[in-house]
């Protein structure tokens, strides 16, 4: 996070608080959210996209307190389930600033979204057009919808988080004409108001050429719709997916750079197609909350393990530093082969750095939080280790594997720490067993 430094005895200090005090008060593992960092990232995006709507993608991390923060910062909010919608409303997000996503929204979810008056419903299938039409008639409302378009872009990211190539579940394909058919059908439906097109090509993307190709292709569709029906859709949502730096190897674009590039391609494509420039929106999740959080763990055991057979002089050793959480609070390393870094947080050390792997307490060898990191050779039980960049898709994808209760989230600001999501307890877990 932005507001970290090293304080007394080399311990990490965030927003004026020593991590040792945070650990003493809230226990470990704990997700520590630097609130000013989160807010400043909202402001950076809003400043770079002043005439656009910036939807925070709530799937990255959502709780009532964060909804309040982003609402105060003038953000919009993307939700993709009834549960996320419930948190958004409970946190006080004005419904007209909510966009409701999902490839398989249930009738109950759609009804709830209509009754709440969400601002946009992002329609994802023909079946959904039918459901929504019937519900809108039943409720006597005329929802504003965007059409999720599959633009056929191969985003350079992990296969599980790329979403715009043809062979996957989201949206209406351009290829084969599903997208234009869907758009015309919605336009013919008097109870639905088609506001625009939507595309999202994937997540943790650094190469902005994917966004450019995608913008070009949706605007070509926009021109086809105009040619077919004489209407120009007033809005265009280019989705999220902007990459962040997990390690020093990553080099993300700033919001200003993104804004400049996206606007340039939209402007030139609109000029080429003789279209009015639509009102733009984007949906960053990771780029807002990812860097604002670190996970604080306590070291339990440390083992030095031989790499290889030990017969080769080049064979080295690796320190396995076990912490009190693991794949239940950060599944991303195991699931996406994601890279993180780690740092000794409770003190300084002059010991030589050794190759280390930060692992969890779960019953499988894939339970790795940080694959490769150099940590001081004297890391020992009781030390605190911080893993930065865990704001996005860590707490929100956390599990209770091995009946490990999920960690709390503590927001820190101006020397004050406040619990915004409490730690789960064993009683919470047992409470689900009915016999
Ligand atoms: N908009 C839509 C329609 C999305 O599906 C997503 C992410 C976003 C926006 C936000 O993407 P972001 O800016 O956060 O990259 N669990 C995976 C990421 C899945 C992303 C799903 N959709 C991970 O841990 O990397």
């Amino acid at each position: 996070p932005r507001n970290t430094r090293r304080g007394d005895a080399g311990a990490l200090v965030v927003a004026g608080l020593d991590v040792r005090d945070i650990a003493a008060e809230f226990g470990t593992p704990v997700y520590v959210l630097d609130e000013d960092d989160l807010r400043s990232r909202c402001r950076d995006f809003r400043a770079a996209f002043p005439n656009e709507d910036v939807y925070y993608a709530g799937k990255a991390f959502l709780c009532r307190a964060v909804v309040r923060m982003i609402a105060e910062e003038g953000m919009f909010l993307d939700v993709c389930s009834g549960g996320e919608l419930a948190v958004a409303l409970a946190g006080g997000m004005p419904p007209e600033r909510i966009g409701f996503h999902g490839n398989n929204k249930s009738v109950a979810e759609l009804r709830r979204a209509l009754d709440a008056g969400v601002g946009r419903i992002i329609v994802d299938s023909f079946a959904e057009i039918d459901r929504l039409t019937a519900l809108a008639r039943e409720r006597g409302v005329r929802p504003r919808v965007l059409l999720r378009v599959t633009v056929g872009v191969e985003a350079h990211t992990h296969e599980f988080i790329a979403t715009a190539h043809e062979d996957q579940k989201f949206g209406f394909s351009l290829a084969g004409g599903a997208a234009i058919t869907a758009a015309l059908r919605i336009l013919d439906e008097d109870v639905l108001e088609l506001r625009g097109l939507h595309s999202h090509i994937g997540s943790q993307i650094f190469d902005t050429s994917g966004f450019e190709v995608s913008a070009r292709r949706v605007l070509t569709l926009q021109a086809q719709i105009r040619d077919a029906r004489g209407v120009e859709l007033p809005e265009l949502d280019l989705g999220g997916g902007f990459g962040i730096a997990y390690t020093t190897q990553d080099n993300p674009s700033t919001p200003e750079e993104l804004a400049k590039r996206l606007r340039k391609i939209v402007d030139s494509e609109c000029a080429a197609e003789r279209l009015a420039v639509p009102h733009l929106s984007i949906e960053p999740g990771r780029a807002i909350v990812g860097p604002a959080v670190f996970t604080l763990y306590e070291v339990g055991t440390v083992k030095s393990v031989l790499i290889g057979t030990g017969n080769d002089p080049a064979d080295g050793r690796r320190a396995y530093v076990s912490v009190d959480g693991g794949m239940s609070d950060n599944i991303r390393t195991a699931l996406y082969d994601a890279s993180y870094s780690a740092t000794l947080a409770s003190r300084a050390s002059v010991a030589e750095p050794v190759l280390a792997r930060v692992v969890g307490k779960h019953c499988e060898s894939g339970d790795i939080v940080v694959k490769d990191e150099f940590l001081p050779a004297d890391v020992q039980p009781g030390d605190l280790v911080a893993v930065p960049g865990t704001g996005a898709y860590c707490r929100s994808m956390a599990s209770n594997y091995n009946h490990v209760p999920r960690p709390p989230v503590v927001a820190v600001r101006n020397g004050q720490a406040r619990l915004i999501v409490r730690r789960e307890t064993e009683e919470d877990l047992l409470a689900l067993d009915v016999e």
Side-chain angles (χ1 to χ4, degrees), residues 57 59-60 78 101 148 161 198 200 202-204 239-242 283-287 332 336 393 397:
K59 64 208 87 185
D78 147 8
H101 274 273
R148 169 87 178 244
I161 55 179
H198 180 287
H200 170 77
S203 198
Q204 185 60 3
F242 316 120
E283 299 171 333
R286 191 189 313 267
R332 299 194 66 261
Y336 311 119
Y393 306 109
M397 293 173 74

Side-chain angles (χ1 to χ4, degrees), residues 92-375:
M93 179 56 80
E96 61 276 11
R97 279 200 252 156
I98 298 175
F100 189 31
H101 274 273
N103 67 300
N104 188 22
K105 306 176 192 78
S106 70
V107 170
E109 285 174 321
L110 287 170
R111 187 176 289 133
R112 200 161 162 196
L114 290 183
D115 291 352
V118 305
R120 298 289 179 277
I121 295 180
I122 296 81
V123 175
D124 200 283
S125 68
F126 287 107
E128 187 182 347
I129 297 176
D130 295 341
R131 285 176 202 146
L132 198 55
T133 305
L135 282 170
R137 284 226 169 84
E138 174 193 304
R139 316 309 267 186
V141 290
R142 186 161 185 255
R144 299 184 145 191
V145 306
L146 301 181
L147 186 82
R148 169 87 178 244
V149 179
T150 306
V151 289
V153 170
E154 304 279 341
H156 297 284
T157 186
H158 192 280
E159 145 187 32
F160 293 179
I161 55 179
T163 52
H165 51 297
E166 294 294 342
D167 189 5
Q168 47 81 34
K169 66 177 184 169
F170 289 108
F172 294 93
S173 282
L174 286 174
I180 180 93
T181 307
L184 301 184
R185 232 170 97 185
I186 298 174
L187 283 171
D188 290 341
E189 215 44 270
D190 54 359
V191 295
L192 303 181
E193 182 181 352
L194 183 60
R195 297 292 298 175
L197 304 176
H198 180 287
S199 93
H200 170 77
I201 58 173
S203 198
Q204 185 60 3
I205 293 167
F206 292 109
D207 178 2
T208 52
S209 61
F211 297 111
E212 294 173 5
V213 175
S214 134
R216 209 172 288 134
R217 291 188 184 163
V218 279
L219 286 166
T220 304
L221 174 63
Q222 172 97 324
Q224 288 165 357
I225 294 168
R226 176 208 46 206
D227 295 346
R229 283 290 191 283
V231 287
E232 286 194 26
L233 304 178
E235 300 172 13
L236 175 63
D237 191 316
L238 295 172
F242 316 120
I244 64 166
Y246 283 103
T247 68
T248 51
Q249 255 104 73
D250 299 328
N251 189 18
S253 304
T254 63
E256 299 88 84
E257 289 164 347
L258 287 169
K260 211 181 284 170
R261 262 173 247 161
L262 293 180
R263 253 187 234 121
K264 188 167 159 218
I265 186 76
V266 169
D267 288 351
S268 77
E269 194 57 25
C270 284
E273 298 281 2
R274 287 168 291 107
L275 288 164
V277 175
H279 178 82
L280 294 181
S281 50
I282 54 165
E283 299 171 333
R286 191 189 313 267
I288 299 289
V289 75
V293 174
F294 62 89
T295 313
L296 193 61
Y297 298 103
E298 186 177 309
V299 174
T301 61
V302 181
K303 279 182 198 170
S304 172
V305 173
L306 208 53
I307 307 172
T309 58
N311 296 327
D312 186 328
D315 285 350
R317 299 188 81 83
R318 193 194 316 268
Y320 274 81
V321 177
S322 294
V323 295
D324 48 358
M327 66 193 299
S328 56
D329 60 71
N330 185 352
I331 188 68
R332 299 194 66 261
T333 307
L335 191 56
Y336 311 119
D337 195 28
S339 295
Y340 284 91
S341 68
T343 183
L344 175 59
S346 44
R347 63 184 171 92
S349 168
V350 292
E352 64 165 317
V354 294
L355 182 62
R357 178 162 282 176
V358 179
V359 297
K361 60 181 289 166
H362 295 279
C363 265
E364 58 182 89
S365 55
D367 172 25
I368 296 168
V369 180
V370 185
K371 282 177 289 184
D372 298 299
E373 179 59 282
F374 284 90
L375 288 175

Side-chain angles (χ1 to χ4, degrees), residues 56 61-73 75 77 84 87-94:
Y56 167 64
F61 172 65
L62 207 60
C63 66
R64 278 195 304 236
V66 162
V67 173
R68 277 195 292 272
M69 292 172 202
I70 62 146
E72 281 171 16
E73 297 300 337
M75 303 281 282
L77 178 58
E84 287 181 3
V87 180
L89 296 171
M93 179 56 80

